[in-house]
Amino acid sequence: MQRRRCRRVLGAALAGRGLPYAALGGFLAAALVQAGCAILVERFAFDAGAAARRRLRGDAMARLLAAGPAMLRGAHSGALAAVVIDRIEAVDGLFARWLPAAVVAFVVPVAVAAVALALDPIAGLILIGAGLLVPAAMALSGLGAAAAARGQFAAMARLQTRFLDRVSGIATIVLAGRAEAEAQALARAADELRRRTMRVLRVAFLSSAGLDCAAAIALIAIAVRYGGQYAAGTLASLPVALFMVLATPQFFAPLRAFAAAYQERMHAIAAAEALVDLPALPPETPPLEVRTVSAHGITIDFRDVSLSWDATRGKALDGVTFRIPAGQVVILAGPSGSGKTSIIEILLGFVRPDAGRVTFNGADIATLVPQALARLTAWVGQRPVLFAASIAENIRFAKPEASDDEVETAAEAARVVDFAILLPQGLDTVIGEGGYGLSGGQAQRIAIARAFLKDAPILLLDEPTAHLDPVTEADVLDSLKRLCLGRTTLLASHATAAHAFSARRVDLRGGRVVGTRGTA
Amino acid sequence: MTALRRIFGLWRGRWLALGFGLLVSLAALLVATAMMTLSGAMVVSTGAMVAAPPLMRLLGPARVVLRYFERLATHDAMFRALADVRVWFFRGLARGAAGGIGYRRSADLLARLVNDVDALDGVYLRILIPLAHAAILLPVLLWQIGRGNILLALVAAALFAVAAFYLPYRAALVARSAGMRLGITISALRVAVFDTLHGLREVRAFAAEGRMLALIQSREAALFAAQHEVSGRAAVAQAGALLCGQAMMLAVIVTVSFDPAIAVAAFLAVAAFEPIAGLARAGVLAGHAAASAERVIAAAETPGAGPDPATPVTLPRGSALRFEGVQFRWQADRPDVFDGMTLDVPSGSRVALLGPSGSGKSTLAALALRLAAPQSGRILLGGTDIATLAAGDLRQRITYLSQATHLFDDTIRANLLLARPEAAEEDLWAALEAARIADTVHSLPDGLETWVGEAGARFSGGQGRRLALARTLLSAAPILILDEPCAGLDADTERAFLQTLNETAVGRTVILIAHRLTGVERFDRIWRLSEGRAAAAAG
């Protein structure tokens, strides 16, 4: 609107009618309105984009959390994080810019063309004709854009995952003297990203060039038309001619924004494809009464359970059957790779068996919602993940509402205090990602402290003392024996830990139960 | 600003590509300006009429082609320069990270590599190039309009300067803190998401989903707040530039109404404002770019322990290790780990180091690898103080299996080759055999090409440990330090491995760090670490 008004002012001024103050005032007002509108559009666009990103990110995280840890066998957590962060940020253009640009790209050129048609039909037709070239150019270039953008995202995800993985193990690389080789590999990955990005941009710029071309054709055609009239002395109105030349860039400006937004849209759609690939949310489990498994005295029963993580690698568990009576300890023994961890991951609900049934007090654990299952179990894993935070905060992760006293008691029972006392800030000493600053045994004791703090009826211990020295191990086993009292406990171990418990023992070989010893 | 200057220093190697991009962009600018001026001249002046149409037919296609190549050339040059920054960043990180990334977070380092380096692309594309355009257009504007009307020329130049220089400068100042927050908040969000996904087992087992989601959402909200402020400031700056353009137009119109002959000024004004239209908005990003440059440089230049001596001594021939009166503590406020420790490890000998956790067994390895330097005393390799050697040379002699040895998200083969890139197929299998994992690898359908997953996630803990062990054994270094190589292995495998170790590493120095011995190992010496010293134990 305001554009039309400023052209009118220009027309009036050029017609030499003196200074039309009203028109000038109108021009100023229109300019201010235009600036204000631009600010508002940006604000609304941001809000729309942010709302969309918030929704998409919440949805993606919900799906990843619902799919659970089994996913980490197939995908690097860094690649998944790249989806949640970068791809969703890239979708912003679709909501923040594509929709507004699409509207403006239609309204403004139509308004300019209408005025042009009224003033000089031929020039108006030139504008419209050139304008129609734009969608054609965009459609042509848009075909390749999505495919190229897909390749670019894949290259970016690879670069990120590679970097994250290499940084996690950077000490291993440096000590092996391979830092320079890795830098070269990173350079190659970065170069591949550049080539893929340029492939996207070559197509995107082609559509810009198409626009430039259409704009140049229109400008030249209009200039030649009026130039010819001027030379022949048939130019009807100089202001109209001036208006046409000045209006041409205005006609194309929104189309230019539209083309840019169109590219962003293709980019965003390619980005969104990875979101579709995320695991679907499982259907809500109907509220069954089995979910209220009595919190005391849980009997665990495995009946003909089979599981394979990867079809080509055969079965991790093959018809496993055993039983842990309520409040008792069962030791799971067997060489590494025999399926001990798979059994524990089933009990934690990380993965569901392919066949067979696992029950708590007769209720199939498949009917338990993950939160209910998590409430029932405490777990000490082989490779506990420690976060970059203080030791106390890492222990408290098991039970955020725990008091300082409870945390300290757990730390004492797991012999965390033994080493923490030597640290400058005790339990408040900050450790690095992955337990930097601690030895393997110390990290393991923090995981044990988490289990103490959690205080759940089922205790799942996966090689809990693998990294401990004999003296510490004996101390921790003492504490664990106390922790086991009255809890249903599964202890996976091939080490001396197993001998400390006089418990029933299930021997595993290659995913099968090959023997049971002791009394239940 | 100094950080940005450092980044420009890194781009020196790319000045040809960057300069070429700038030149093409200037050519495109000149053609576009000439075209707009000519179009105006064709309408309002008879003089240009004869020459103009053929010239226009030339300029039109030239403009389209030049614009296309400008975009290609500037972007390509920029991406090359950014790739250089990324590689420089990794090299810097590696220099200071022989002992790991320490208290830094990998997701934050990733944010610096990805988001902060990306933020630097605006410096060239959206700031430097348009500024160069503005610097050229300003005198053109003054001269072309000044020939007709000096007053209008001054007003136009002033408005142009405000839009091209003052507004971006103001915008950069005002948005500085928000720009800094952009980098920090996206990094914080990345850390929260990565912690949640990397720790998915813990999150699920401790029912922490809700907590972690809430943390992610609050960090996302902080990111959105920073983005919102930047976007708002950018919109205001942009609106200011727009008003400058319209004010210029108004001044032109008013002047033209008195003096129609200078109507060509209107065209020039329109043409001149187009290339600088984005500068005010880009000014907002300048603060972000400067903060990003600082974050990139800070992470790449964190010094590690024990920098290389200025003129490293060449490696001695011998591989005997000797610790001489070593006194060491990790930090000033922590107790001494070693206090006058002396220990001899002759070349080719087999030594066991025993002691409870916390007695300094792993610290001893760190000192030998110069991941840390003793406060007093010396460590000698072949009679030469290792402080005088280049760390890279020293580490060629020693291979170290630590408790934190990392398995990379790659194939088994690639993981093994890290230790010795030129190793032959049979060497790989021999190492796997010695580590007692060859049968498992044989049984896999993809054999050595099997993907191990994140930190070895596709294998059990004990299998992963043995793969790392195989990698260590594959190394050609004459000194092997094995820190708890059998942690997580079952008793039979442990026994078998230790027996193999007796036979395989003949002629190499083996330092075995352990809590206890099983009885099958054959050692020349057994040392027990306690109270900061090493004492010979019976054995």
Side-chain angles (χ1 to χ4, degrees):
Chain A
M1 269 309 141
Q2 63 269 38
R3 285 187 200 287
R4 222 188 305 175
R5 258 151 84 199
C6 63
R7 300 308 149 206
R8 265 191 214 136
V9 177
L10 179 64
L14 287 172
R17 279 183 229 135
L19 270 186
Y21 289 104
L24 287 178
F27 181 96
L28 267 180
L32 284 172
V33 169
Q34 187 188 11
C37 284
I39 293 176
L40 282 180
V41 164
E42 179 120 4
R43 188 115 298 184
F44 288 139
F46 179 84
D47 290 343
R53 281 180 285 150
R54 187 177 299 127
R55 187 165 44 75
L56 285 171
R57 193 165 282 134
D59 181 55
M61 279 312 299
R63 285 156 72 172
L64 290 171
L65 286 170
M71 212 171 33
L72 293 182
R73 289 207 170 216
H76 195 284
S77 55
L80 297 174
V83 170
V84 175
I85 305 282
D86 302 285
R87 296 232 180 178
I88 287 175
E89 284 301 295
V91 170
D92 187 52
L94 181 61
F95 297 91
R97 282 174 292 279
W98 162 252
L99 297 175
V103 175
V104 174
F106 179 74
V107 174
V108 175
V110 165
V112 175
V115 178
L117 273 176
L119 291 174
D120 178 353
I122 299 212
L125 286 176
I126 292 176
L127 272 187
I128 292 170
L132 287 178
L133 289 176
V134 173
M138 276 171 45
L140 274 179
S141 62
L143 289 179
R150 223 168 283 140
Q152 185 208 7
F153 271 115
M156 186 164 98
R158 267 199 299 279
L159 176 70
Q160 288 199 18
T161 310
R162 184 179 182 95
F163 178 78
L164 201 58
D165 188 48
R166 286 350 186 222
V167 164
S168 311
I170 196 156
T172 303
I173 289 173
V174 175
L175 293 180
R178 304 288 295 156
E180 187 47 38
E182 266 311 315
Q184 297 294 341
L186 184 71
R188 280 193 299 278
D191 198 57
E192 192 204 333
L193 178 63
R194 173 187 67 81
R195 275 185 289 116
R196 297 226 179 235
T197 308
M198 286 311 294
R199 210 171 290 164
V200 173
L201 290 181
R202 264 198 292 277
V203 179
F205 294 157
L206 215 54
S207 104
S208 310
L211 252 166
D212 284 344
C213 200
I217 289 173
L219 193 60
I220 290 170
I222 287 174
V224 166
R225 167 177 161 76
Y226 291 124
Q229 286 181 355
Y230 194 95
T234 55
L235 184 59
S237 154
L238 179 62
V240 168
L242 277 179
F243 170 75
M244 287 300 170
V245 176
L246 286 175
T248 305
Q250 297 300 335
F251 179 82
F252 284 98
L255 290 175
R256 215 179 282 279
F258 176 71
Y262 182 70
Q263 293 297 335
E264 273 199 88
R265 176 175 172 269
M266 303 311 279
H267 196 67
I269 287 175
E273 275 170 14
L275 300 180
V276 178
D277 292 341
L278 291 181
L281 272 178
E284 286 287 318
T285 323
L288 298 171
E289 50 194 309
V290 291
R291 282 200 293 159
T292 56
V293 172
S294 148
H296 294 286
I298 295 176
T299 297
I300 299 174
D301 195 53
F302 267 65
R303 187 98 15 235
D304 276 326
V305 172
S306 295
L307 171 76
S308 74
W309 290 102
D310 174 356
T312 60
R313 280 173 59 177
K315 286 182 174 175
L317 296 178
D318 188 2
V320 168
T321 299
F322 69 92
R323 183 179 153 88
I324 316 174
Q328 305 222 2
V329 180
V330 161
I331 292 161
L332 213 47
S336 67
S338 60
K340 302 188 296 293
T341 301
S342 295
I343 286 176
I344 286 185
E345 297 209 338
I346 287 176
L347 287 171
L348 286 164
F350 292 177
V351 63
R352 288 191 178 185
D354 301 330
R357 254 162 69 90
V358 179
T359 55
F360 287 176
N361 286 351
D364 196 322
I365 64 166
T367 62
L368 288 166
V369 293
Q371 288 74 14
L373 198 55
R375 265 200 301 279
L376 294 175
T377 51
W379 167 62
V380 179
Q382 283 187 53
R383 283 179 287 198
V385 170
L386 299 184
F387 301 102
S390 75
I391 293 175
E393 285 170 296
N394 265 292
I395 296 174
R396 203 189 294 272
F397 186 79
K399 188 179 171 192
E401 69 280 7
S403 70
D404 289 351
D405 279 350
E406 284 179 88
V407 171
E408 202 149 317
T409 309
E412 229 153 84
R415 305 283 157 184
V416 170
V417 172
D418 290 5
F419 66 83
I421 209 159
L422 300 171
L423 301 173
Q425 275 96 40
L427 287 179
D428 293 323
T429 305
V430 169
I431 57 174
E433 196 171 274
Y436 177 83
L438 300 180
S439 74
Q442 290 168 339
Q444 208 163 24
R445 281 184 266 171
I446 291 181
I448 294 170
R450 282 176 176 167
F452 271 102
L453 187 60
K454 175 87 180 277
D455 190 21
I458 297 175
L459 196 53
L460 304 170
L461 307 171
D462 196 355
E463 306 278 4
T465 57
H467 297 282
L468 303 185
D469 62 86
V471 178
T472 315
E473 181 174 18
D475 287 345
V476 169
L477 284 175
D478 268 351
S479 309
L480 282 179
K481 270 191 262 182
R482 263 182 287 128
L483 182 64
C484 290
L485 285 179
R487 296 173 214 271
T488 309
T489 304
L490 185 61
L491 169 70
S493 181
H494 40 55
T496 42
H499 303 302
F501 292 82
S502 51
R504 206 169 74 118
R505 177 174 156 148
V506 174
D507 283 303
L508 280 177
R509 283 282 184 289
R512 289 166 191 267
V513 176
V514 293
T516 51
R517 273 178 270 170
T519 49
Chain B
M1 272 302 119
T2 44
L4 266 183
R5 224 170 289 142
R6 292 289 318 277
I7 298 287
F8 292 150
L10 294 179
W11 289 350
R12 243 176 320 201
R14 296 285 178 200
W15 70 270
L16 209 65
L18 293 169
F20 177 70
L22 181 64
L23 275 184
V24 178
S25 83
L26 289 179
L29 172 78
L30 287 181
V31 170
T33 312
M35 213 172 115
M36 202 64 194
T37 316
L38 264 177
S39 309
M42 280 167 73
V43 178
V44 294
S45 88
T46 44
M49 261 338 290
V50 188
L55 202 55
M56 283 295 275
R57 273 196 289 277
L58 189 71
L59 286 178
R63 182 189 131 94
V64 173
V65 171
L66 276 174
R67 281 285 286 157
Y68 183 71
F69 283 106
E70 171 201 346
R71 290 180 177 128
L72 280 190
T74 51
H75 281 81
D76 192 63
M78 191 63 247
F79 291 138
R80 283 177 198 275
L82 292 188
D84 288 352
V85 175
R86 293 201 163 103
V87 174
W88 172 83
F89 180 80
F90 182 81
R91 284 207 181 99
L93 201 62
R95 246 196 313 281
I101 57 170
Y103 295 102
R104 294 178 282 171
R105 294 162 184 256
S106 51
D108 173 65
L109 294 173
L110 180 68
R112 291 170 200 246
L113 179 92
V114 175
N115 304 103
D116 287 321
V117 173
D118 271 345
L120 296 175
D121 79 350
V123 174
Y124 173 71
L125 293 174
R126 279 185 277 281
I127 299 176
L128 290 183
I129 286 193
L131 271 183
H133 288 187
I136 288 181
L137 281 170
L138 185 61
V140 170
L141 207 61
L142 256 177
W143 168 249
Q144 286 285 349
I145 303 179
R147 285 194 307 183
N149 184 323
I150 191 73
L151 189 66
L152 179 62
L154 288 175
V155 170
L159 285 169
F160 183 84
V162 167
F165 305 120
Y166 178 70
L167 282 178
Y169 173 70
R170 282 294 307 165
L173 285 187
V174 169
R176 195 175 153 73
S177 74
M180 280 181 183
R181 259 184 294 131
L182 265 189
I184 294 165
T185 51
I186 190 137
S187 167
L189 175 63
R190 226 177 242 290
V191 167
V193 169
F194 180 71
D195 271 356
T196 306
L197 294 175
H198 182 68
L200 209 45
R201 289 186 181 83
E202 272 72 9
V203 168
R204 171 64 74 85
F206 295 111
E209 286 96 341
R211 282 183 267 156
M212 297 312 270
L213 261 185
L215 178 70
I216 290 171
Q217 275 158 3
S218 77
R219 297 210 168 156
E220 186 188 47
L223 170 67
F224 285 173
Q227 286 175 337
H228 187 256
E229 188 179 340
V230 165
S231 143
R233 303 243 185 240
V236 171
Q238 183 77 2
L242 187 102
L243 284 178
C244 285
Q246 299 292 21
M248 161 115 80
M249 188 60 81
L250 190 65
V252 170
I253 293 166
V254 170
T255 316
V256 167
S257 67
F258 297 117
D259 179 9
I262 64 154
V264 66
F267 297 90
L268 193 61
V270 169
F273 262 77
E274 201 208 282
I276 60 142
L279 257 177
R281 177 183 290 275
V284 173
L285 294 175
H288 181 202
S292 290
E294 273 167 33
R295 285 166 49 81
V296 167
I297 285 178
E301 295 194 334
T302 304
D308 275 344
T311 48
V313 173
T314 49
L315 263 180
R317 292 171 58 85
S319 288
L321 256 183
R322 180 176 162 77
F323 292 77
E324 225 175 60
V326 167
Q327 188 251 321
F328 178 75
R329 57 176 64 184
W330 281 102
Q331 278 166 35
D333 57 353
R334 308 235 175 151
D336 273 346
V337 182
F338 297 123
D339 181 16
M341 191 220 16
T342 297
L343 180 72
D344 251 318
V345 184
S347 180
S349 67
R350 290 156 181 279
V351 172
L353 275 178
L354 306 179
S357 57
S359 61
K361 302 188 300 294
S362 303
T363 304
L364 192 124
L367 288 174
L369 288 157
R370 231 178 69 200
L371 303 180
Q375 275 83 28
S376 70
R378 304 191 299 163
I379 300 159
L380 305 169
L381 176 75
T384 308
D385 190 340
I386 63 166
T388 63
L389 296 170
D393 292 345
L394 169 68
R395 290 168 195 157
Q396 276 176 17
R397 288 287 174 86
I398 305 175
T399 182
Y400 175 42
L401 175 74
S402 76
Q403 294 181 41
T405 295
H406 187 79
L407 283 177
F408 294 93
D409 186 27
D410 212 322
T411 60
I412 292 178
R413 181 191 298 278
N415 266 291
L416 293 178
L417 288 180
L418 190 77
R420 180 144 63 102
E422 71 288 354
E425 187 88 6
E426 57 264 33
D427 297 332
L428 301 185
W429 286 108
L432 290 169
E433 192 62 57
R436 302 280 148 179
I437 185 83
D439 289 347
T440 308
V441 177
H442 262 304
S443 72
L444 297 170
D446 296 326
L448 285 172
E449 310 309 324
T450 307
W451 208 261
V452 305
E454 179 177 1
R458 294 188 184 194
F459 289 90
S460 79
Q463 289 168 338
R465 189 72 186 152
R466 279 180 279 165
L467 286 175
L469 190 55
R471 176 165 69 199
T472 310
L473 295 176
L474 184 66
S475 156
I479 301 176
L480 282 136
I481 303 180
L482 305 174
D483 192 350
E484 298 285 351
C486 299
L489 300 192
D490 56 278
D492 293 344
T493 311
E494 177 176 10
R495 214 167 261 279
F497 163 71
L498 291 169
Q499 261 159 1
T500 326
L501 190 65
N502 292 336
E503 297 143 23
T504 46
V506 176
R508 298 162 88 179
T509 308
V510 176
I511 303 175
L512 184 79
I513 295 174
H515 296 311
R516 60 182 156 229
L517 296 177
T518 61
V520 299
E521 307 91 340
R522 285 203 298 273
F523 288 108
D524 302 318
R525 242 347 181 342
I526 297 174
W527 296 92
R528 196 168 286 283
L529 288 180
S530 65
E531 291 169 13
R533 286 163 191 265

